[in-house]
């Protein structure tokens, strides 16, 4: 029980919470509260009483919040502000909450708000620059050389395995063992083919940090069609972020913490995409924040990043980021535990979890052999080994948890179409999908649509509005023809009862199936509509009478009328009219008076009643069939039609009838469900209006459900289902603006007046199976494939885009055998695509009234393996039974005649077609297909390929270019983590990336610096035996490293001939990344290095050295510079202060971190002063040294 859990956690904290400044942790006066005292070391030991109150104990320990405050008086302002700024600490257990608060108070009272490993809080900056980590001192007998290179830091309050805070008891040997395990785990991940990185301090007992594991999308073996459908780009990295909040813990420790009655998870996960192998600190903080300011599903135009950060380090949302994160965070450790305990593979462990979650399980009766069955997925067999490798199968004594987590994440990313996005169980479907979806369980569909697991319809409306129009039109046509098979059941849609609404244009009859009888069967196997109208529920629909105030848009409900509530939707009908319906939202309910929002009907996109009553004169009512409502200028509102009176003869309070949206959609018959879908889509605005509304939000609150007066929840739900249930990849080729279309080289010529879409279907590996079919059948043929048309009536295309082309059902016979029918002349296929739904009076029926495209016909262009001798039939139609031989490339639709297409543009490069089977287009000419219609791996090489242009095979013969696979540079700190105690970085780079050439050599020439030209401080005259010995040892070690590595890889240089005093070193930093502004500025001034003076104090190594720039002068922070360089050339880094320095830090590490600080672009990149090259003067250096001493001791 929640209260019991809170009491147990608080009792545990009272007995075990150990913090030198905290005392008297106890229960508070109120239920769900606690108090503790905190001693302020900087104010004479003043005691501050802090109180924490759980606002709702019933939500503990998962979704509760704390109210943090103090009852003490006369406390320091900074302490009071810190307590106020703590926040609600959502979801933390008592021990973690106490640790969080005391940590913040420790920093506030220590005079520094910087915690280099706390990703939840902002880092301190010095004149605008973020600082480095603070470091503790280790015992003198520790292995200083082995750990000094990583500038260790120590958390103020390390946490124990149960989440409570303990005193620091870890010995140096324990810390070093943990460091070795971290390196081992990271190296295993790197050797498996992944890039590794980290944010915050990782080794030496750091407490709160983040690890990143990443891989190029191009290396995952994903087809081009799937990349387009999943919004992925080959050059991007897929990144898994692991956040440890109580120090690094290996897999075995994590499994222990995740088991037992008091489970705790010490690692959290996020996934995303980036243009670089690692992300910025800001992006990581935003990813792990509990409240996101922006929608995670807006893809590229809305990255998770604060403005002004480096674009290359942004974290972009992944298309299935939400369900994937949910899966990893909640299930991964339990699934691994099942694997270890029962010997399952991933497939068996996941099935066991699904079958036994929430129950006590036992193996006393044995384990069903189904859990040990191998994974026989055909899609997995075609993937590269980096995706399918299983680290746990190798039986490694100390498995790498980051590696295991990444392999699990890739299993569900690359094979996402095989799993339900909600319950994550394998999807048992009869057809293949290019986009992931959910299983057939109604609860999964409801969660998918309602809880944000589905795609962002707002993103699709903005980026591909015509695709949304196309999908909505297909659904409307299918529903109007009563041909929908799969319906939005399980979404709890409240709709008006169709039996109470005026009849739509009455029962349709079907035409157009006189010759080619498989046209619709090959497109999804449609079943005939159900004629039953029996309602399964006990709900009895009812009409209610009321009076209606037309001027004020108010209903006057009589006694016995419905009890309406705010935001409910109703339908108004007027008995005196022909039965037109008006849909309205209740915006205020003060019974018996109910105020309504603007009315919407099928004939109008919207009715704007934003004018005052006195400005709304009566307008005679005109029936929809007689004269459509003219459009309203867009300047007034996002709506689109003018105000008008609802009745023909003006009456202030006419009688109306009310139909409430209170019918559960799931309880309707099949026929009524399809009628209702048309009804709610009649009320939907046009896609262009929806796009305009979303763009008016300027990236904030971009949710169509918030357009409450215009879109009902039922309409929004149906639209979301239409878009989310589409599992084909449809991409606009034409760029229509208004009523004109811009020419595009991606258009197929010969279809000049048809709108074109790129169209791909099937599982993600279907393209690979198609290519394999070509290799197996027509690899040596001059024309391995051919193209042909496939037509089907408009009302079948809703099923086609969801189920693909198949011939499972036979509704109208097949005169030429079983298979998918094609024709080389488009007119033949058009003859079978024009058949559709008409009313008894012969009028066309089934066009979505608010469509801009007004689609009347559709036909697909398929690429087929060119083996006609193996076709079922070749005359008069091409009948192909092998579905793997067919790959859809284009979808053509005949649209609104008012949209004009410009002159056709011949593609610069075209596909080579078989002259015997070249399709003829609607213009009567042979079509020309752009080369972009086929995957890159199949395109002919149009020019000579340089010898140095290598390609990498990924499995099943697919290849990708080196240009995509060239890795970005690994950060120095990430490279250091991979170094063993005595290993050089070059060895790590070689092992991590075998076969890659070394970076381009530098233009820096060692030994060319003229010391006499430098303005240096006077050499120190002091010396101590301890300091001299330490510096001699440090200098020898540093020079040894310098001699063993190429200069262009090292990045710093010390000329031993210029060291005349052990306490004063002259160093040069060089070979900065060419894209950095600093590198460009140096090159522009003819410089190849930054010259520094390093001055050691007499108490070294107990005190840090003083490091300053000598040449050239840098732009100051006040003038817009960065790179941690302050006035006088001094370096502002926490590492170089008494609070941040450690006696075990070595100079190799110092030089690396200074170089990294100069390379940093956060918050601004380092820049040089304009004008001729100048040095910093001696006087400036003395002032900088005095300032540093005064500020940092």
């Amino acid at each position: 029980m929640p209260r019991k859990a809170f009491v147990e956690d608080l009792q545990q904290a009272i007995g075990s919470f150990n913090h030198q400044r905290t005392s008297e942790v106890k229960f508070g006066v109120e239920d769900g509260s606690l108090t503790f005292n905190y001693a302020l070391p900087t104010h004479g030991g003043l005691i501050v009483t802090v109180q924490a109150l759980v606002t709702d104990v019933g939500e503990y320990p998962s979704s509760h919040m704390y109210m943090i405050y103090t009852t003490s008086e006369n406390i320091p302002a900074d302490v009071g502000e810190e307590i106020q700024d703590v926040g609600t600490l959502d979801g933390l257990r008592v021990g973690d909450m106490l640790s969080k608060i005391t940590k913040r108070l420790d920093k506030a009272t220590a005079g520094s708000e910087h915690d280099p490993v706390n990703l939840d809080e902002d880092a301190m900056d010095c004149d605008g620059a973020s600082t480095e980590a603070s470091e503790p001192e280790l015992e003198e007998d520790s292995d200083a050389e082995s750990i000094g290179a990583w500038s260790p830091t120590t958390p103020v309050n390390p946490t124990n395995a149960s989440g409570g805070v303990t005193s620091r008891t870890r010995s140096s040997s324990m810390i070093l063992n943990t460091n070795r395990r971290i390196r081992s785990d990271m190296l295993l991940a790197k050797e498996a083919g992944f890039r590794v990185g980290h944010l915050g301090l990782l080794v030496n007992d750091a407490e709160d940090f983040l690890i990143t594991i990443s891989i190029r999308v191009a290396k995952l073996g994903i087809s081009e069609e799937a990349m387009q459908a999943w919004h992925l780009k080959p050059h991007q990295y897929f990144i898994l972020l692991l956040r440890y909040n109580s120090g690094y813990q290996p897999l075995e420790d994590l499994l222990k913490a995740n088991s037992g009655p008091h489970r705790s998870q010490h690692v959290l996960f996020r996934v995303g995409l980036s243009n670089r192998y690692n992300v910025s600190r800001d992006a990581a903080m935003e990813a792990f924040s509990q409240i996101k300011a922006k929608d995670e599903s807006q893809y590229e135009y809305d990255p998770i990043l604060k403005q002004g950060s480096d674009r290359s380090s942004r974290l972009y949302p992944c298309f299935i980021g939400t369900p994937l994160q949910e899966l990893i965070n909640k299930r991964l450790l339990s699934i691994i535990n099942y694997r270890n305990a029962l010997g399952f593979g991933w497939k068996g462990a996941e099935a066991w979890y699904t079958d036994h979650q929430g129950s006590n399980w036992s193996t006393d009766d044995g384990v069903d052999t189904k859990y040990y069955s191998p994974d026989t997925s055909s899609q997995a067999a075609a993937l590269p080994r980096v995706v399918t490798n299983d680290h746990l199968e190798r039986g490694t004594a100390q498995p790498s948890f980051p590696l295991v987590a990444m392999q699990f994440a890739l299993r569900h990313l690359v094979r996402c179409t095989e799993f339900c996005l909600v319950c994550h169980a394998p999807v048992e479907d009869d057809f293949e999908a290019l986009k992931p979806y959910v299983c057939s369980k109604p609860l999964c569909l409801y969660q998918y649509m309602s809880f944000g697991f589905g795609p962002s319809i707002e993103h699709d409306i903005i980026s591909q509005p015509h695709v949304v129009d196309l999908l909505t039109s297909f659904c409307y046509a299918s529903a109007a023809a009563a041909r929908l098979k799969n319906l939005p059941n399980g979404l709890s849609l409240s709709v008006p009862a169709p039996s109470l609404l005026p009849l739509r244009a009455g029962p349709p009859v079907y035409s157009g199936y006189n010759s080619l009888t498989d046209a619709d069967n090959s497109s999804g196997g449609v079943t005939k509509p159900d004629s039953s109208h029996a309602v399964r529920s006990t709900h009895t629909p009812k009409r209610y009478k009321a009076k209606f105030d037309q001027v004020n848009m108010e209903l006057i409900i009589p006694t016995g009328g419905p009890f309406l509530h705010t935001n409910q939707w109703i339908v108004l009908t007027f008995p005196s009219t022909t039965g037109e319906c008006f849909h309205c939202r209740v915006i205020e309910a003060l019974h018996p008076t109910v105020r309504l929002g603007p009315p919407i009907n099928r004939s109008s996109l919207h009715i704007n009643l934003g004018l005052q009553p006195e400005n709304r004169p009566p307008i005679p009512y005109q029936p929809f069939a007689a004269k459509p409502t003219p459009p309203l200028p867009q300047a007034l509102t996002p709506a689109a039609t003018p105000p008008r009176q609802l009745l023909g003869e003006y009456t202030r309070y006419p009688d109306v009838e009310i139909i409430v949206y209170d019918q559960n959609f799931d309880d309707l018959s099949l026929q009524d469900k399809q009628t209702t879908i048309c009804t709610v889509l009649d009320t939907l605005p046009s896609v262009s209006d929806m796009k305009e509304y979303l763009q008016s939000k300027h990236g904030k609150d971009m949710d169509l459900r918030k357009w409450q007066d215009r879109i009902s929840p039922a309409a929004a739900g149906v639209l979301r289902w239409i878009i989310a249930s589409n599992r084909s990849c449809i991409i606009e080729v034409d760029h229509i603006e208004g009523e004109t279309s811009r020419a595009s080289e991606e258009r197929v010529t010969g279809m000049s007046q048809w709108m074109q879409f790129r169209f791909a279907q099937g599982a993600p590996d279907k393209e690979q199976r198609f290519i394999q079919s070509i290799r197996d059948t027509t690899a040596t043929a001059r024309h391995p494939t051919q193209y042909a048309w496939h037509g089907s009536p408009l009302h079948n295309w809703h099923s086609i885009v969801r189920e693909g082309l198949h011939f499972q059902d036979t509704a109208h016979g097949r005169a030429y055998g079983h298979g998918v029918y094609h024709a080389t002349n488009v007119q033949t296929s058009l003859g079978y695509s024009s058949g559709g739904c008409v009313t008894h009076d012969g009028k066309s029926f089934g066009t979505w009234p608010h469509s801009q495209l007004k689609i009347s016909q559709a036909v697909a262009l398929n690429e087929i393996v060119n083996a006609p001798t193996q076709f079922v039939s070749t005359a008069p139609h091409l009948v192909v039974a092998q579905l793997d031989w067919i790959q859809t490339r284009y979808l053509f639709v005949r649209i609104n005649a008012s949209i004009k297409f410009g002159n056709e543009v011949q593609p610069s490069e075209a596909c080579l077609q078989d002259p015997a089977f070249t399709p003829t287009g609607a213009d009567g000419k042979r079509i020309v297909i752009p080369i972009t219609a086929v995957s890159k791996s199949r395109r002919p090489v149009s020019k000579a390929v340089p010898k140095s242009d290598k390609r990498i095979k990924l499995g099943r013969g697919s290849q990708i270019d080196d240009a995509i696979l060239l890795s970005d540079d690994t950060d120095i700190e990430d490279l250091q983590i991979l170094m063993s105690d005595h290993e050089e970085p070059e060895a790590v780079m070689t092992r991590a990336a075998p076969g890659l050439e070394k970076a381009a050599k530098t233009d820096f020439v060692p030994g060319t610096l003229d010391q006499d030209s430098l303005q240096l401080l006077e050499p120190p005259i002091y010396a101590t035996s301890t300091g001299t010995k330490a510096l001699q040892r440090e200098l020898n070690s540093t020079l040894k490293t310098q001699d063993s590595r190429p200069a262009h890889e090292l990045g710093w240089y010390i000329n031993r001939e210029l060291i005349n005093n052990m306490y004063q070193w002259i160093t040069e930093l060089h070979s900065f990344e060419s894209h950095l502004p600093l590198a460009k500025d140096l090159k522009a001034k003819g410089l190849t290095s930054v010259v520094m003076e390093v001055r050691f104090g007499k108490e070294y190594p107990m005190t840090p050295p003083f490091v300053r720039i000598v040449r050239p002068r840098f732009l100051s922070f006040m003038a817009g510079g960065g790179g941690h360089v302050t006035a006088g050339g001094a370096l502002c880094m926490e590492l170089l202060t008494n609070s941040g320095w450690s006696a075990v830090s070595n100079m190799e590490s110092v030089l690396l971190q200074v170089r990294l600080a100069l390379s940093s672009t956060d918050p601004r990149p380092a820049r040089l002063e304009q004008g001729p090259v100048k040095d910093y003067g001696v006087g400036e250096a003395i002032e900088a040294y005095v300032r540093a001493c005064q500020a940092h001791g």
Side-chain angles (χ1 to χ4, degrees), residues 415-445:
R415 298 171 57 185
C416 61
T417 58
E418 297 182 36
F419 303 98
C420 172
L421 286 180
V422 175
C423 70
H424 306 290
V427 177
E428 302 294 342
D429 266 343
D430 296 332
F431 63 96
E432 299 173 333
L434 192 57
K435 289 184 177 181
Y437 197 48
V438 292
C439 63
S440 57
K441 301 172 187 174
L443 181 59
C444 288
L445 180 62

Side-chain angles (χ1 to χ4, degrees), residues 130-170:
S130 60
T131 59
E132 294 296 324
S134 61
E135 302 174 5
E137 295 183 7
L138 292 181
E139 301 168 1
E140 289 188 4
D141 60 350
S142 66
D143 190 353
E145 291 185 0
S146 67
I147 62 175
W150 292 277
S151 299
T153 66
T154 302
V156 177
N157 298 312
T159 58
N160 59 29
S162 62
V165 180
T166 65
S167 59
R168 185 175 183 80
T169 58
R170 286 170 58 84

Side-chain angles (χ1 to χ4, degrees), residues 537-550:
S537 74
T538 58
H539 173 74
T540 302
K542 186 177 180 181
R543 286 175 177 264
Y544 300 93
K545 297 184 181 297
K547 290 288 187 180
F548 180 54
D549 183 344
Q550 294 195 83

Side-chain angles (χ1 to χ4, degrees), residues 1120-1135:
H1124 302 254
V1125 183
T1126 66
L1131 272 296
C1132 178
M1133 299 172 60
E1134 185 77 7
L1135 171 67

Side-chain angles (χ1 to χ4, degrees), residues 267 326 501 519 575 657 670 705 743 848 1153:
V267 60
E326 187 88 0
L501 297 174
E657 291 183 339
L670 177 61
R705 290 172 293 189
W848 181 39
Q1153 294 194 49

Side-chain angles (χ1 to χ4, degrees), residues 90-365:
D90 299 2
L92 291 183
R93 287 184 173 268
V94 171
D96 294 329
M97 179 272 296
L98 291 172
S99 176
K100 193 81 170 180
I101 296 176
T102 53
K103 184 189 301 181
R104 295 191 61 149
L105 292 176
D106 284 340
K107 288 184 291 182
T109 55
S112 171
E113 296 180 356
H114 174 64
D115 182 352
V117 293
N118 190 341
L119 298 179
D120 281 338
E121 296 158 13
D122 294 334
M124 181 193 78
D125 59 17
C126 179
D127 293 335
S130 60
T131 59
E132 294 296 324
S134 61
E135 302 174 5
E137 295 183 7
L138 292 181
E139 301 168 1
E140 289 188 4
D141 60 350
S142 66
D143 190 353
E145 291 185 0
S146 67
I147 62 175
W150 292 277
S151 299
T153 66
T154 302
V156 177
N157 298 312
T159 58
N160 59 29
S162 62
V165 180
T166 65
S167 59
R168 185 175 183 80
T169 58
R170 286 170 58 84
S171 65
S172 297
S173 61
M174 294 174 64
I175 295 174
L176 291 174
N177 286 334
T178 301
N179 289 351
R180 294 188 184 101
R181 181 59 184 272
I182 293 172
R183 296 186 193 112
S184 173
D185 286 356
M186 300 283 271
L187 278 171
L188 285 170
K190 197 161 191 70
E191 290 168 357
F194 301 105
R195 300 290 298 274
V196 296
H198 73 284
L199 295 172
L201 207 59
L202 176 56
V203 294
N204 297 315
D205 218 19
E207 180 182 352
D208 196 354
F209 53 85
L210 190 145
I211 289 175
T212 63
I213 310 291
S214 60
I215 187 172
R216 290 270 194 191
V217 171
K219 295 183 179 181
L220 299 179
I222 302 174
S223 67
E224 292 179 39
E225 291 77 15
M227 286 192 195
Q228 290 180 331
W230 300 352
H231 303 275
L232 300 177
K233 295 182 178 179
H235 72 272
Q236 290 179 315
Y237 285 91
F238 172 74
I239 298 185
L240 174 68
L241 297 90
L242 302 86
R243 179 177 177 179
Y244 292 80
N245 52 30
S246 56
Y248 187 84
Q249 297 188 40
L251 175 58
E252 49 270 26
D253 291 349
L254 290 171
L255 293 178
K256 290 179 183 177
N258 191 58
S259 60
H262 301 288
R263 294 189 178 186
S264 57
Q265 185 168 338
H266 297 289
V267 60
L268 298 174
F269 304 89
R270 295 292 184 270
V271 297
L273 303 168
S274 180
N275 294 326
R276 196 169 180 271
Y277 82 96
N278 206 345
V279 297
S280 69
R281 190 183 188 92
D282 284 345
M285 289 170 60
E286 189 72 21
F288 281 92
S289 63
Q290 294 188 1
I291 302 175
K292 290 185 173 62
K294 298 177 182 178
D295 183 3
E296 192 182 69
S297 305
Q298 290 173 11
Y299 302 106
E300 298 173 8
Y301 64 80
D302 190 13
I304 303 178
L305 186 70
K306 298 179 182 178
Q307 292 183 356
S309 298
D310 184 8
R311 290 182 59 88
S312 64
S313 298
R314 293 181 179 181
L315 184 65
Y316 295 88
C318 177
F319 70 110
I320 58 167
T322 299
L324 189 55
Q325 287 169 179
E326 187 88 0
L327 169 67
I328 301 174
N329 280 296
K330 290 189 175 181
R331 299 190 182 185
L332 176 58
L333 288 173
S334 296
I335 290 173
I336 295 175
N337 194 32
Y338 294 146
R339 291 198 61 177
N340 290 343
L342 302 173
F344 298 145
W346 284 125
K347 177 184 176 182
E350 291 180 50
W352 181 273
Y353 182 99
T354 301
D355 295 342
H356 296 85
Q357 58 180 327
S359 61
N360 294 323
W361 57 274
S362 172
T363 58
D364 294 342
D365 298 329

Side-chain angles (χ1 to χ4, degrees), residues 19 128 146 194 218 255 322 333 358 399 401 484 513 629 748 763 805 825 851 860 933 963 975 1014 1079 1093 1095 1107 1124:
H19 181 262
S146 67
F194 301 105
L255 293 178
T322 299
L333 288 173
F401 178 67
L484 282 178
Y513 305 100
T629 304
V748 174
L805 298 173
N825 191 319
S851 170
L975 188 59
L1014 302 176
E1093 178 182 6
R1095 191 179 183 90
V1107 182
H1124 302 254

